[in-house]
Amino acid sequence: EATSTPQPLVFKFDCSGSGTTKVTVTIPLPDRSEGITFAFLKECKAGEIPGFDVTLSAFEPGVRGTYAIKNGEPTSAYRLPKGSELPLAVVREAQFKTSFYLQMSTFNSLEFEAPVASSSDSFCLISLSGDAASGGWVDDISSQLIVNFNCIDSGTALITVTVPLQVQDRMVNSTFAFRKECRWTSTPGFDVTLGAWIKSERGTYAVRNGAATSAFSLWDPKAVVRSMQYTSIFYLQMSTTDEQDFDWPTVESSESLCKVRLAGPASKGGTARPTSEKPIALVAKYDCMKTGTAVITITIPLGPWNEAAF
């Protein structure tokens, strides 16, 4: 209903190619059968890879703030740095991974090689996972690319992600960047040990002083639970005289073929106590639906800004 106060009419454009198109707008009016019609031209400029988009989890078609890449080129928040000017997009210190989605806004499909990610600083280690991490084809059904972070010191790192795409007879790189805030903390004395624990043997620890040991690394785990083993028991304890409260641990499986849940006294949170007292047990129970291998990640919250994960 028209009033004396102007009412805005907002147009949002989603260009998937370069060119000029005519936009026609009709506003129905109750006293005019044909309403009011007007038109204008909209210029569109696509990048080198029209239709190729990398979007965020909170993606909304046409809303540029939910894109990292639009038509093959980075949006303003994810542009590569120029001199001292860094990208506006930031992954906060409490986030240990973030997801992006590769897709085409046109009816085309493109083949792409395994994406490459790099960090400007050695204190922020990164790895890629998800179904897009090994390359493949991108079309109108999105493929997930997960960037995992392992902060081993505090600071802000520049993260760059490049997706190599086969465009006709040549490879074209589509690259975006963002900042990752790191705040490294450890919990001296907080250990998660195995059933055959020997105090001096690092191989009998999953977590030592609040950090995962190399065999239980989040990024390159070597520890294996064999196919005929349906449970694993871990023991939470302190190697110091201090006590450490922890909240409900969480567990995640990288593949749907393996469902896992936590049980035992430590599964609902509690207090890890010195080794002179009885350790508190955390039990992982596995339910394999198919044949294959899954990566299991257990995270134990140790406060608002700290956790132990393996």
Side-chain angles (χ1 to χ4, degrees), residues 114-226:
V116 178
S118 63
S119 170
S120 63
D121 294 274
S122 58
F123 62 75
C124 181
L125 307 178
I126 56 173
S127 65
L128 299 177
S129 59
D131 53 0
S134 56
W137 287 85
V138 57
D139 51 27
D140 59 336
I141 300 176
S142 63
S143 298
Q144 185 181 29
L145 180 66
I146 304 172
V147 184
N148 304 288
F149 310 105
N150 182 15
C151 292
I152 59 175
D153 206 344
S154 299
T156 300
L158 174 69
I159 308 300
T160 304
V161 180
T162 298
V163 183
L165 295 119
Q166 183 72 43
V167 180
Q168 296 179 351
D169 58 347
R170 62 195 180 98
M171 295 301 298
V172 178
N173 289 333
S174 185
T175 303
F176 63 97
F178 57 91
R179 290 175 289 152
K180 173 67 179 91
E181 294 179 341
C182 284
R183 188 173 80 172
W184 184 81
T185 57
S186 64
T187 307
F190 180 76
D191 300 336
V192 178
T193 62
L194 311 184
W197 174 62
I198 302 174
K199 187 175 182 180
S200 60
E201 292 291 334
R202 189 171 179 83
T204 62
Y205 291 81
V207 170
R208 188 82 171 94
N209 288 319
T213 58
S214 57
F216 290 83
S217 163
L218 295 179
W219 321 116
D220 187 23
K222 300 294 192 301
V224 178
V225 177
R226 299 301 179 187

Side-chain angles (χ1 to χ4, degrees), residues 45-123:
K45 182 180 178 182
E48 195 171 8
I49 316 172
F52 175 69
D53 300 334
V54 177
T55 63
L56 313 183
S57 298
F59 168 60
E60 185 177 340
V63 179
R64 200 166 179 82
T66 63
Y67 292 78
I69 293 281
K70 187 78 177 81
N71 290 318
E73 295 188 346
T75 56
S76 57
Y78 289 85
R79 284 177 184 160
L80 298 179
K82 294 181 179 180
S84 60
E85 183 181 346
L86 295 175
L88 298 176
V90 179
V91 176
R92 298 300 182 188
E93 57 189 21
Q95 282 186 255
F96 296 94
K97 63 182 177 180
T98 189
S99 293
F100 298 94
Y101 297 86
L102 282 58
Q103 57 192 344
M104 297 293 293
S105 59
T106 62
F107 292 106
N108 299 329
S109 61
L110 291 175
E111 187 176 7
F112 66 99
E113 295 183 355
V116 178
S118 63
S119 170
S120 63
D121 294 274
S122 58
F123 62 75

Side-chain angles (χ1 to χ4, degrees), residues 225-242:
V225 177
R226 299 301 179 187
S227 59
M228 295 305 293
Q229 187 175 340
Y230 299 104
T231 62
S232 297
I233 304 178
F234 302 95
Y235 297 90
L236 283 57
Q237 57 191 348
M238 297 293 293
S239 60
T240 64
T241 57
D242 300 322

